[in-house]
Amino acid sequence: MATRSLFEHRHVVIGADRDGLLAGLTAAAEGARNPAGVVSGVAKPVGRTVFVFPGQGWQWAGMGRELWESSPVFAEQMRACARALEPWVDWSLTDTVRGGPQAADLDRIDVVQPVLFAMMVSLARVWRSLGVTPDAVIGHSQGEIAAACVAGVLSLPDAARIVALRSRLLATSTDDGGMAGIVAPEHRVRELLERTGSGAVIAAVNGPYSTTVSGGAAAVRELIATCESEGVRARWIPASVPGHSPLMDRFEERFRDELGEITPRPRRWSSARR
């Protein structure tokens, strides 16, 4: 489906059995007007293809297990990710994704972020093997690191090192931080933040009605309470780290020191950050 010729005029024939499908094909070939079981249309120009890699929060145990078992391309790339992560982690990517005896706890930030990175990079490899080539890639949080890797800006070993050390550093944070997902546009969330004066900030804008805030736990809970009183849906995100807030700035120097030499490379596709 991804590699076949693209025609302007198209028919889709729907049927419960062979006879029904043949009847639909015959009617379409003969130019019948609105035949039963046939959907016709004219294709619009094909747009550009973009791979979008998210931050954490939508993962679940076993999310890559069946694909690992059914897709040799996915399994090969995941094994490459495991080798790249091995010098920097004390747990098994293979067991964590496939539910093996050395599976690590996905509630740990220094586990879930490298696992999601490996999932994103491996999914991109599968998509490309099926003929889906991106014009650009974009990402947020560890998704930004995956996007840079897929675009070719970072080698897999360098990208794995960055995501592992970054998440390990975040795991050392002892702050009473918090994050929340607000079902409201950015401008509405800014109004609520100004009203509470809580000190929380917008961490990410994930969509027209999906905004994430971050900060000290007390500030985030105060904002959630204000949202509830205003009839705005808000959800506490289980996290002790105030991700993507100014409170994280103090990690920058230490992070740079731990990374050492990282060598960017010419990109294969456009890459961007959110």
Side-chain angles (χ1 to χ4, degrees), residues 205-230:
V205 179
N206 300 314
Y209 288 88
S210 177
T211 307
T212 301
V213 298
S214 177
V220 174
R221 292 191 185 280
E222 180 184 359
L223 179 63
I224 291 175
T226 300
C227 288
E228 292 174 347
S229 67
E230 294 283 334

Side-chain angles (χ1 to χ4, degrees), residues 13-18 20-21 37:
V13 180
I14 303 170
D17 52 34
R18 183 174 183 274
L21 292 172

Side-chain angles (χ1 to χ4, degrees), residues 14-67:
I14 303 170
D17 52 34
R18 183 174 183 274
D19 290 340
L21 292 172
L22 288 175
L25 283 173
T26 300
E30 294 177 349
R33 186 178 180 82
N34 299 322
V38 179
V39 180
S40 302
V42 179
K44 296 180 179 179
V46 177
R48 301 182 70 193
T49 300
V50 181
F51 290 174
V52 182
F53 299 117
Q56 71 185 77
W58 296 103
Q59 67 279 352
W60 65 90
M63 63 186 297
R65 184 182 306 153
E66 291 185 13
L67 190 57

Side-chain angles (χ1 to χ4, degrees), residues 56-219:
Q56 71 185 77
W58 296 103
Q59 67 279 352
W60 65 90
M63 63 186 297
R65 184 182 306 153
E66 291 185 13
L67 190 57
W68 194 314
E69 295 170 354
S70 62
S71 171
V73 173
F74 181 82
E76 179 186 6
Q77 186 62 44
M78 287 293 278
R79 285 192 290 268
C81 289
R83 291 191 295 270
L85 287 168
E86 189 174 5
W88 314 110
V89 301
D90 58 1
W91 44 269
S92 166
L93 175 67
T94 302
D95 281 4
T96 301
V97 175
R98 305 185 71 182
Q102 297 183 42
D105 185 359
L106 284 175
D107 287 337
R108 287 172 47 185
I109 194 170
D110 58 331
V111 173
V112 67
Q113 291 196 358
V115 169
L116 287 175
F117 162 82
M119 285 287 301
M120 296 172 196
V121 171
S122 300
L123 283 171
R125 176 77 180 277
V126 173
W127 297 332
R128 283 157 43 204
S129 74
L130 298 174
V132 183
T133 302
D135 296 292
V137 290
I138 189 171
H140 169 68
S141 191
Q142 75 274 1
E144 181 183 347
I145 304 170
C149 183
V150 171
V153 175
L154 294 174
S155 67
L156 181 58
D158 279 352
R161 181 181 182 184
I162 292 172
V163 73
L165 293 180
R166 173 181 179 270
S167 61
R168 190 170 70 190
L169 189 61
L170 295 179
T172 66
S173 174
T174 58
D175 285 344
D176 185 20
M179 302 180 72
I182 313 296
V183 183
E186 179 184 5
H187 69 86
R188 174 64 169 144
V189 176
R190 290 195 183 279
E191 291 174 359
L192 294 169
L193 286 170
E194 290 176 2
R195 186 185 308 175
T196 60
S198 62
V201 299
I202 291 179
V205 179
N206 300 314
Y209 288 88
S210 177
T211 307
T212 301
V213 298
S214 177

Side-chain angles (χ1 to χ4, degrees), residues 227-258:
C227 288
E228 292 174 347
S229 67
E230 294 283 334
V232 177
R233 289 176 56 193
R235 178 179 65 91
W236 173 265
I237 298 174
S240 60
V241 177
H244 308 289
S245 79
L247 296 177
M248 307 305 296
D249 291 348
R250 68 187 184 281
F251 289 112
E252 181 177 357
E253 184 175 350
R254 181 178 167 190
F255 185 43
R256 289 180 182 274
D257 291 341
E258 289 199 15

